[in-house]
């Protein structure tokens, strides 16, 4: 046995991990070497309160439940280094449609028709910027910019239909931007004067048509078709709706209210077909759904992240026990899954460096990142790319930090 050998003490498997950990360390006691159980303080950034194991997972072996995943994240050149934001980067989005060209901008730059990666950022300086990285380029460069006069950009996203359009939200409402023609159209379906929150929009696709969902007051949820620019339905939910997300096929919409109740809506019949609730989840503020619809996650105001692995059912009302992760202690602003659902990213803008990545197979936080030397700052937005090989993090300093991800 080598000096300094450390192995984790498994006597507390299944319990929550505190800010200290017990390890067995080989120490010298005079001329004799002994293996003693000592208490070692964990780094502040690596505090992992661990998952509260749901009832259906108690039959799994401790060896599988306590296997902790490690990631390798390499810092790259900032994605917006060619044109940083003058304010907070409130929204960052990778293009996940796989589109390869924007005709007008390509002609302006005289580049070849080859595959490229696109990134969209929105900031409090009122600008929505598009960045591109050619196949052979080591970093991103700015492809175009749109300015929203006298109003900070709250959220931006690529339309999933593959068209050369993006959607931008501000305090003035929703705007659709055509990148080829540089035309900006204001959408009249959801006016802020009618108590609709444009910054809460989410996009989905059903039968090759792009749908947009916007949250309103008193439990109202508006659904509109962007092709016809007509409102399709207005759903009425109990409580104040805090978040919404479309299913991958666009047939269902998942919403969560402030009490933590999850409603699954059938968009063909415009009715609630299932309701989920859990005593462990209250004061919800955001919701996320994996690409294959297998995992459903909810974030709360106290930093608790709860995700459900068996949430789809035939009954109208279901009480289920989720995985609970409490690695953050402030309200969760951003939450989303990787492309394969193996990682869940959560972040909070209330505390510096408050970003965590959860291994969904075990419920534990990735303990080796971020580190105490990772310059994240106050995180306001983040996103994985299509293959989850890159991670972008928008912070209060106007930077879009870029990391290469390998597991």
């Amino acid at each position: 046995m080598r000096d300094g050998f450390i192995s984790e003490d498994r006597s507390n498997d299944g319990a929550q991990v505190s800010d200290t950990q017990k390890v067995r360390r080989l120490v010298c006691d005079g001329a004799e070497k002994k293996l003693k159980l000592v208490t070692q303080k964990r780094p502040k950034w690596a505090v992992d309160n661990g998952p509260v194991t749901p009832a259906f997972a108690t039959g799994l072996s401790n060896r599988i439940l306590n296997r902790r995943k490690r990631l390798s994240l390499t810092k790259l050149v900032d994605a917006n280094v060619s044109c940083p934001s003058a304010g907070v980067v409130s929204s960052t989005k990778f293009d996940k449609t796989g589109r390869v060209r924007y005709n007008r901008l390509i002609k302006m730059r005289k580049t070849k028709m080859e595959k490229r990666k696109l990134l969209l950022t929105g900031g409090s300086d009122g600008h929505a910027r598009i960045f591109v990285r050619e196949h052979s380029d080591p970093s991103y460069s700015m492809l175009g910019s749109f300015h929203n006069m006298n109003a900070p950009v709250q959220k931006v996203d690529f339309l999933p239909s593959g068209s050369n359009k993006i959607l931008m939200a501000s305090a003035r409402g929703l705007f659709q931007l055509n990148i080829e023609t540089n035309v900006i159209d204001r959408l009249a379906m959801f006016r802020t004067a009618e108590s609709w929150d444009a910054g809460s929009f989410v996009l989905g696709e059903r039968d090759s048509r792009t749908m947009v969902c916007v949250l309103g007051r008193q439990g109202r949820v508006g659904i509109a078709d962007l092709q016809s620019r007509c409102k399709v339905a207005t759903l009425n939910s109990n409580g104040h709706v805090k978040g919404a997300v479309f299913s991958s096929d666009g047939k269902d919409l998942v919403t969560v209210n402030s009490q933590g109740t999850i409603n699954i809506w059938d968009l063909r019949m415009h009715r609630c077909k299932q309701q989920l609730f859990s005593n462990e989840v209250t004061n919800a503020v955001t919701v996320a759904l994996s690409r294959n619809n297998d995992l459903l996650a909810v974030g709360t105001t106290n930093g608790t992240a709860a995700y459900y692995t068996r949430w789809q059912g035939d009954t109208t009302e279901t009480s289920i026990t989720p995985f609970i992760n409490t690695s953050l202690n402030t309200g969760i602003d951003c939450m989303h899954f990787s492309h394969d659902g193996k990682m869940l990213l959560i972040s909070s803008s209330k505390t510096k460096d408050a970003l965590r990545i959860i291994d969904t197979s075990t419920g534990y936080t990735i303990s080796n990142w971020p580190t105490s030397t990772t310059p994240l700052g106050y995180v306001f937005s983040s996103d994985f790319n299509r293959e989850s090989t890159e991670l972008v993090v928008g912070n209060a300093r106007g930077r879009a930090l870029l990391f290469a991800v390998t597991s």
Side-chain angles (χ1 to χ4, degrees):
M1 186 176 294
R2 301 186 305 272
D3 290 355
F5 173 80
I6 301 175
S7 62
E8 291 190 13
D9 177 30
R10 297 296 183 183
S11 60
N12 292 326
D13 284 348
Q16 291 189 351
V17 180
S18 65
D19 59 350
T20 61
Q21 57 182 350
K22 290 185 177 180
V23 297
R24 297 188 184 275
R25 188 188 299 274
L26 189 66
V27 297
C28 294
D29 186 6
E32 185 180 0
K33 292 184 178 181
K34 295 182 179 180
L35 192 65
K36 292 185 177 181
L37 188 65
V38 297
T39 300
Q40 175 178 295
K41 189 170 181 61
R42 296 168 60 87
K44 182 179 179 181
W45 56 266
V47 172
D48 177 9
N49 291 325
V52 177
T53 308
F56 63 81
T58 54
L60 298 179
S61 67
N62 290 332
R63 181 180 63 84
I64 295 177
L65 281 177
N66 290 284
R67 183 183 300 159
R68 302 193 183 189
K69 185 177 180 181
R70 296 178 64 86
L71 287 180
S72 175
L73 286 94
T74 305
K75 180 68 174 69
L76 305 177
V77 178
D78 290 356
N80 65 343
V81 66
S82 58
C83 187
S85 174
V88 174
V89 180
S90 55
S91 182
T92 53
K93 282 293 181 180
F94 278 106
D95 178 26
K96 299 181 176 65
T97 62
R99 71 193 96 193
V100 297
R101 62 192 180 96
Y102 285 102
N103 296 331
R104 182 181 178 85
L105 294 175
I106 286 176
K107 290 179 181 178
M108 293 171 58
R109 295 190 57 188
K110 299 180 181 179
T111 59
K112 297 180 180 179
M113 301 292 185
E114 59 182 9
K115 192 170 183 179
R116 62 204 63 217
K117 295 182 179 180
L118 296 171
L119 173 66
L120 182 61
T121 67
S124 59
D125 59 353
H127 283 85
R129 298 178 176 91
I130 304 175
F131 297 89
V132 60
R133 188 170 78 177
E134 308 292 345
H135 182 70
S136 57
D137 290 348
S139 60
Y140 284 82
S141 59
M142 194 174 75
L143 192 62
S145 176
F146 300 90
H147 186 210
N148 187 24
M149 296 294 293
N150 303 323
V153 176
Q154 298 174 347
K155 189 175 182 179
V156 289
D157 201 355
F158 291 97
L159 265 64
S161 58
S163 61
N164 299 331
K165 296 178 181 179
I166 63 177
L167 198 63
M168 179 178 69
S170 71
R172 299 170 56 195
L174 278 176
F175 298 86
Q176 185 174 271
L177 315 178
N178 191 311
I179 302 176
E180 292 185 358
T181 61
N182 292 334
V183 174
I184 302 179
D185 295 329
R186 184 174 181 178
L187 303 181
M189 299 95 71
F190 304 104
R191 296 186 179 274
T192 54
E194 299 175 358
S195 302
W196 293 104
D197 181 13
S200 66
F201 82 84
V202 290
L203 293 173
E205 188 176 17
R206 185 181 67 182
D207 300 330
S208 300
R209 301 188 70 85
T210 302
M211 311 297 292
V212 60
C213 168
V214 178
L215 306 182
R217 295 182 182 177
Q218 300 177 351
R220 291 191 303 162
V221 180
I223 311 293
D225 187 333
L226 285 183
Q227 270 78 0
S228 62
R229 298 197 178 186
C230 294
K231 190 183 296 184
V232 176
T234 300
L235 309 176
N236 294 293
S237 176
N238 295 327
H240 181 39
V241 180
K242 305 293 290 186
V245 61
F246 283 97
S247 61
S248 58
D249 56 9
K251 296 180 181 179
D252 296 330
L253 179 73
V254 181
T255 63
V256 62
N257 62 20
S258 56
Q259 287 78 33
T261 303
I262 302 171
N263 291 325
I264 294 91
W265 302 85
D266 185 349
L267 296 183
R268 293 167 294 184
M269 303 296 294
H270 300 157
R271 64 178 181 86
C272 180
K273 67 176 186 180
Q274 188 180 1
Q275 190 175 75
L276 307 176
F277 56 91
S278 174
N279 295 329
E280 291 84 359
V281 180
T282 57
N283 300 322
V285 288
T286 184
V287 63
L289 192 62
S290 62
R291 189 178 297 183
N292 57 7
N293 300 332
D294 286 343
L295 298 175
L296 175 65
V298 175
T300 67
T301 56
N302 60 3
T304 299
Y307 65 95
Y308 305 82
T309 57
R310 300 180 181 180
W311 61 277
Q312 295 176 327
D314 299 329
T315 58
T316 305
E317 293 187 1
T318 307
S319 177
I320 55 179
T321 304
F323 278 93
I324 301 294
N325 185 286
T326 57
S327 54
L328 292 180
N329 53 21
T330 55
I332 296 176
D333 301 319
C334 183
M335 168 183 282
H336 50 85
F337 288 95
S338 59
H339 75 291
D340 53 5
K342 294 182 179 180
M343 294 181 290
L344 173 63
L345 186 147
I346 59 175
S347 65
S348 173
S349 61
K350 310 297 188 302
T351 310
K352 195 174 183 179
D353 300 335
L355 185 147
R356 301 290 183 269
I357 299 178
I358 301 171
D359 179 10
T360 57
S361 61
T362 62
Y364 282 107
T365 305
I366 302 299
S367 59
N368 68 315
W369 194 88
T371 67
S372 56
T373 59
T374 304
L376 295 181
Y378 291 90
V379 178
F380 280 80
S381 60
S382 59
D383 193 25
F384 287 108
N385 68 347
R386 191 181 184 187
E387 301 84 12
S388 299
T389 57
E390 289 182 349
L391 170 65
V392 62
V393 178
N395 64 15
R397 296 182 178 180
R399 299 174 59 186
L401 307 175
L402 190 64
F403 299 89
V405 183
T406 55
S407 58

